[in-house]
Amino acid sequence: MKRSFAEWVTDSGWKAAACVFLSAWLALILPFALWLPGAMVVLVALVASPVSSGYALALAGAALLGLLMPATGLWTAVLLATALLVPQYLIGRMLARGASMTVCFQFAALAALGMLVVVYGVIADPPGVWRPMLEQLAQSLDRFAATMSNASSGHRLDEQQIVDASAAHLWGAVGWLLLLNTMVSAMAGQYWAQRKGFKPIEGSSFGELSAGRTLTLVCVGCAGFAAWFTAGLGADGLMVLGGVFVLQGLSVLHAALLAWGFRGAPMGFGYAAAFLALLLVSWAVPAVALAVEVLLFLTGFLDNWWPLRTRFAKQAV
């Protein structure tokens, strides 16, 4: 009988340790692979393994530190390793203690918002943290500025304008990307663990994710705050919550496809094809990507008040 990846990894301590270390290495050399070490930490938290989740966290953290420090320095490496591993470790422990993935999703969203509160409470000039890095990219940003020219007046944004505009919203983007990375790690780790017998409770599949009404009210508050102050904590918080409801919108779409009978490889290939098509179309018409994001956001937001998944399930019967 063919063994699953989770069964093979957790056969022995050396396999688990080697895979944890390898996942940290691959995370830094493969595109879109930053979720790998966090997924390994979640996996060993959910299944019987010779390597504990705490040991996996320490090993993956040491590997990331060793790989990042030569390029970033000690404290930046520590912050990156912490952001890429600690939320996943906590979610793994929560899932192991019987929490649903929906609860973990809400926890991750609140943690991302909490990070922004700390940043704006501790750092005197949060956007200023990013300016040196962005100024080093001034040459590339200058080429980008050509695409932002005003066709009627010929006005062209200068490099400093672009740096300031980017820095003003970069904390929100970082918070959203960390949240997304955390949830991808958690879902992948749980999927692997299920192959070895882990049984998640109701509300743990991707098609069941829900931010809840409390976060929708927080989103409305952030929108009002961002309308009053065009940049700052409210705008960055709104960016994170916008990503939360986009992810919930994707969850609703996934649930609808399941209700309509799509499964397995066809669904996976369909997702890949749709993603590639969206990238190509958005490259030519950027408004298409924005329209898709807005549609997913509205779907996820409204699902907290009018359960759309239930409606799709009834239509499919």
Side-chain angles (χ1 to χ4, degrees), residues 51-73:
V51 173
S52 68
S53 57
Y55 179 75
L57 173 66
L59 182 60
L64 285 176
L65 285 177
L67 293 168
L68 287 169
M69 275 196 300
T72 65

Side-chain angles (χ1 to χ4, degrees), residues 141-159 161-162:
L141 290 171
D142 185 56
R143 289 196 296 268
F144 175 69
T147 67
M148 300 175 64
S149 298
N150 187 311
S152 60
S153 66
H155 174 68
R156 178 170 165 176
L157 293 175
D158 61 26
E159 293 175 2
Q161 287 178 302
I162 300 173

Side-chain angles (χ1 to χ4, degrees), residues 190-202:
Q190 179 182 257
Y191 173 77
W192 289 337
Q194 286 179 266
R195 307 292 289 176
K196 196 183 176 181
F198 172 73
K199 295 181 179 179
I201 67 172
E202 184 179 354

Side-chain angles (χ1 to χ4, degrees), residues 209-251:
L209 290 184
S210 175
R213 293 184 178 182
T214 300
L215 283 176
T216 63
L217 295 176
V218 173
C219 183
V220 172
C222 284
F225 197 76
W228 188 264
F229 301 99
T230 57
L233 179 59
D236 283 343
L238 186 61
M239 184 177 294
V240 170
L241 288 168
V244 167
F245 293 114
V246 166
L247 192 56
Q248 184 170 340
L250 286 171
S251 172

